[in-house]
C-alpha cells in the first residue's frame, strides 16, 4: 500500500513540514525549490571563449541582419557570407559584447578563405545509392577479428 504523506505549510512563512507515518521533515520552500536531489555531482563548464552577452541594445543588429540575409539568399553557403560574418564579429568586439580576438584566429585569415567551392550534387543518392548498403555480410568488431 502506498505510504501517506501530509504536507503542512506553516502560516505566513515559507516554512513547511512533511509528516509521514514514522518521521517528520521540516524545511523552507525557498531552499527546497533550489535543492538538487541527484546523487551525481553536477559541474558547469563555461563557454570555450568566455561569456557572450546578448546585444540588448541591438547595436550590432544591422550586421547580423546582413549576414543572415546573405545566408538565406546564398542557400546557407557560409563561405559566400564571410565578410558579413567578419563585420558582425568585429562589431561585437568593438562594443565589448565579446572578448577581443584576432580575426585571423577566428578563421578569417587569407589561408582560410574558401575559393571555388563545389557543392556535392548527390548523384549517387539520386541513383539509389544508400550508404553502408553495399557492404556484404555482417561486420565484425575489432575484438572479433
Amino acid at each position: 500500500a502506498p505510504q501517506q504523506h501530509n504536507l503542512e505549510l506553516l502560516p505566513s512563512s515559507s516554512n513547511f513540514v512533511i509528516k509521514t507515518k514514522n518521521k517528520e521533515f521540516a524545511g523552507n520552500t525557498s531552499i527546497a525549490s533550489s535543492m538538487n536531489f541527484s546523487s551525481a555531482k553536477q559541474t558547469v563548464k563555461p563557454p570555450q571563449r568566455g561569456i557572450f552577452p546578448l546585444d540588448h541594445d541591438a547595436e550590432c543588429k544591422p550586421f547580423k541582419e546582413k549576414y543572415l540575409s546573405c545566408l538565406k539568399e546564398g542557400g546557407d553557403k557560409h563561405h559566400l557570407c564571410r565578410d558579413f560574418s567578419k563585420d558582425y564579429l568585429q562589431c561585437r568586439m568593438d562594443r565589448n559584447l565579446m572578448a577581443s580576438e584576432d580575426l585571423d584566429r577566428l578563421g578569417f585569415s587569407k589561408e582560410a578563405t574558401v575559393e571555388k567551392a563545389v557543392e556535392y550534387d548527390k548523384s549517387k543518392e539520386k541513383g539509389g545509392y544508400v550508404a553502408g548498403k553495399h557492404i556484404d555480410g555482417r561486420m565484425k568488431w575489432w575484438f572479433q577479428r
Side-chain angles (χ1 to χ4, degrees), residues 47-55 59-60 85-103 105-108:
Q48 186 178 7
R49 293 197 177 268
I51 298 172
F52 294 87
L54 296 175
D55 187 7
E59 297 174 78
C60 297
S85 175
K86 184 177 181 179
D87 293 341
Y88 174 64
L89 291 174
Q90 188 62 57
C91 175
R92 288 187 60 85
M93 286 188 273
D94 292 345
R95 289 160 180 78
N96 292 321
L97 294 171
M98 67 180 278
S100 291
E101 183 82 40
D102 182 19
L103 289 170
R105 293 189 66 208
L106 293 176
F108 294 101

